[in-house]
Amino acid sequence: MMKQRDRAHRTAVRTGTQEEWEKYRSLRGQTKGYVKSAKRSFLQGKLEASAANSQQHLWKALRAHVTGQPRPQQASLNPERTAENFNGYFVNIGPKINKELSYAAQQSSATLEASDVPNSVLTESRFRLSTVSISTVKKAVRSMGNKAGGNDDITAHLLKIGLPAIASTLTFLINSSLSSSQVPSRWKEALIIPAHKSGDLDDPKNYRPISLLPVVSKIAEKVVHKQLAEYLEENQLLEPQQYGFRSGRSTEMALLSVTENILKGVEAKQLSMLCLLDLSKAFDCVPHSALLDRLGRLGITDDWFHSYLTGRTQKVKLDSVISTSRSVVCCVPQGSILGPLLFHIVY
């Protein structure tokens, strides 16, 4: 089609007749239509193939189509040193923010509410984790998305394929953790993949850390999350106005609640004011000690949570280079199943 168009253009230029120019314009329009249709079919096929592979591949394909190039990769003369620097930066975000917050709190004259007193007990109920059945573990595995695995390279897809053969062993491992109140150290190892946002490629501030945890640990977390969420809901221990990451609730309900309160204020001829707060590095600034204290005041005294939060480590992976491991002493585990719920408990 393109060759026909080009020949028609040469003929039209040579002869200069209106008929030949009309023929050329017709072929040019047809060629543009064919090219556009071919591009659309190619992009559709590429996106469908990427979506079938993983969500990560889908976004990579979309980004390349929109910007014309994939996300830039980390470029450094010393990737080993850069990986170590990135790990040091990420692991110290929480402690640094907490130090700043502690100083601000010391300068504040605000008084504490009764529920903010560390030694106060908010409920007489007591929560203990229970062992689970094979069917519960199977359900948890099947509900996992096909995301990347952690340090062990075991993916959810692999576990789903082998589920009939490994379900019993997997259930034994999870129940051993629950009954002994011990979380294996390998389950607490995070692999951090820095995702570049913008700016200098060698500046860790320009990266968003993506935390990859072992899939087996996330399956155990799913089991614990279900029991913990049921306990909190049954005893009404979560704030009534908390809508995010709760079963049967949504952000739409939060918007409806705010709208209803504003309308009530208008009808009562009252002044309505809305204060919106954006917590920077929210998950990073939760001290483990504060979280454990809060859990205890809610009757959640199972030592499993202490083991889950303490002794956590992380490594940073840049391309094929992996940094050494460093201890994480502060933050709700990023990329975890329990993370959002534990954050709600604190705040």
Side-chain angles (χ1 to χ4, degrees):
M1 179 63 71
M2 290 182 179
K3 290 182 178 180
Q4 294 179 16
R5 176 202 61 189
D6 294 340
R7 282 198 299 267
H9 182 260
R10 289 194 295 269
T11 302
V13 171
R14 186 177 68 252
T15 62
T17 63
Q18 184 66 25
E19 180 181 356
E20 292 298 333
W21 277 111
E22 289 294 334
K23 182 179 179 180
Y24 161 69
R25 293 189 183 97
S26 176
L27 286 171
R28 183 181 62 182
Q30 293 179 41
T31 301
K32 287 183 177 180
Y34 281 126
V35 171
K36 187 175 181 180
S37 177
K39 285 183 177 179
R40 185 186 299 110
S41 298
F42 171 77
L43 178 61
Q44 182 178 354
K46 189 173 182 180
L47 292 179
E48 289 177 352
S50 299
N53 193 345
S54 71
Q55 189 178 28
Q56 181 182 5
H57 284 81
L58 174 60
W59 282 110
K60 185 176 181 180
L62 282 171
R63 187 181 302 112
H65 173 68
V66 173
T67 64
Q69 59 183 359
R71 187 182 294 276
Q73 299 296 315
Q74 167 67 21
S76 175
L77 296 176
N78 194 329
E80 290 81 6
R81 187 177 65 182
T82 302
E84 294 295 339
N85 290 341
F86 273 45
N87 198 20
Y89 173 78
F90 291 140
V91 83
N92 284 312
I93 290 177
K96 182 179 179 181
I97 293 177
N98 272 309
K99 185 177 181 180
E100 295 172 354
L101 291 175
S102 298
Y103 176 79
Q106 291 174 4
Q107 306 305 312
S108 173
S109 58
T111 57
L112 295 173
E113 299 292 337
S115 59
D116 293 322
V117 179
N119 294 326
S120 64
V121 178
L122 305 182
T123 179
E124 296 299 328
S125 302
R126 287 292 177 267
F127 172 79
R128 296 290 297 179
L129 289 167
S130 304
T131 55
V132 295
S133 63
I134 293 180
S135 61
T136 299
V137 173
K138 285 183 176 180
K139 184 177 179 180
V141 173
R142 295 189 181 109
S143 67
M144 295 290 294
N146 292 326
K147 295 185 178 181
N151 270 334
D152 54 11
D153 290 326
I154 298 176
T155 65
H157 180 66
L158 181 62
L159 290 181
K160 290 176 183 178
I161 294 176
L163 189 57
I166 67 172
S168 178
T169 302
L170 191 57
T171 304
F172 172 78
L173 290 174
I174 293 173
N175 282 337
S176 295
S177 173
L178 299 179
S179 59
S180 66
S181 296
Q182 293 294 320
V183 178
S185 58
R186 290 296 301 271
W187 290 8
K188 297 185 283 187
E189 295 178 356
L191 184 65
I192 306 298
I193 309 296
H196 184 255
K197 296 182 290 186
S198 62
D200 184 2
L201 288 172
D202 287 319
D203 190 345
K205 295 180 181 178
N206 297 326
Y207 287 77
R208 178 171 60 90
I210 299 176
S211 177
L212 302 179
L213 294 170
V215 176
V216 175
S217 73
K218 299 178 80 169
I219 295 170
E221 286 188 51
K222 268 186 173 290
V223 170
V224 174
H225 184 282
K226 184 176 184 301
Q227 296 185 31
L228 180 59
E230 289 177 353
Y231 168 80
L232 294 171
E233 294 289 354
E234 290 173 1
N235 291 278
Q236 300 180 350
L237 296 176
L238 294 177
E239 289 293 331
Q241 300 304 316
Q242 175 60 52
Y243 294 95
F245 301 101
R246 292 179 68 179
S247 178
R249 301 198 178 201
S250 64
T251 52
E252 287 84 355
M253 294 178 66
L255 292 174
L256 287 173
S257 177
V258 171
T259 303
E260 182 182 5
N261 289 332
I262 292 175
L263 291 176
K264 287 181 179 179
V266 172
E267 292 175 355
K269 297 182 179 180
Q270 297 175 337
L271 177 63
S272 297
M273 299 181 67
L274 181 63
C275 180
L276 301 175
L277 301 177
D278 182 12
L279 297 178
S280 177
K281 309 292 184 182
F283 277 25
D284 290 314
C285 59
V286 179
H288 292 165
S289 57
L291 178 52
L292 290 169
D293 175 72
R294 181 70 175 181
L295 288 171
R297 290 156 57 199
L298 293 176
I300 306 168
T301 56
D302 198 305
D303 289 336
W304 187 91
F305 292 97
H306 182 273
S307 177
Y308 171 77
L309 290 170
T310 56
R312 303 195 73 89
T313 59
Q314 71 175 43
K315 299 178 181 179
V316 166
K317 182 178 181 180
L318 287 174
D319 294 332
S320 59
V321 177
I322 299 179
S323 72
T324 56
S325 181
R326 298 193 62 165
S327 298
V328 180
V329 298
C330 181
C331 86
V332 172
Q334 300 275 9
S336 64
I337 303 296
L338 281 170
L341 182 59
L342 295 178
F343 182 78
H344 290 336
I345 289 176
V346 177
Y347 291 99

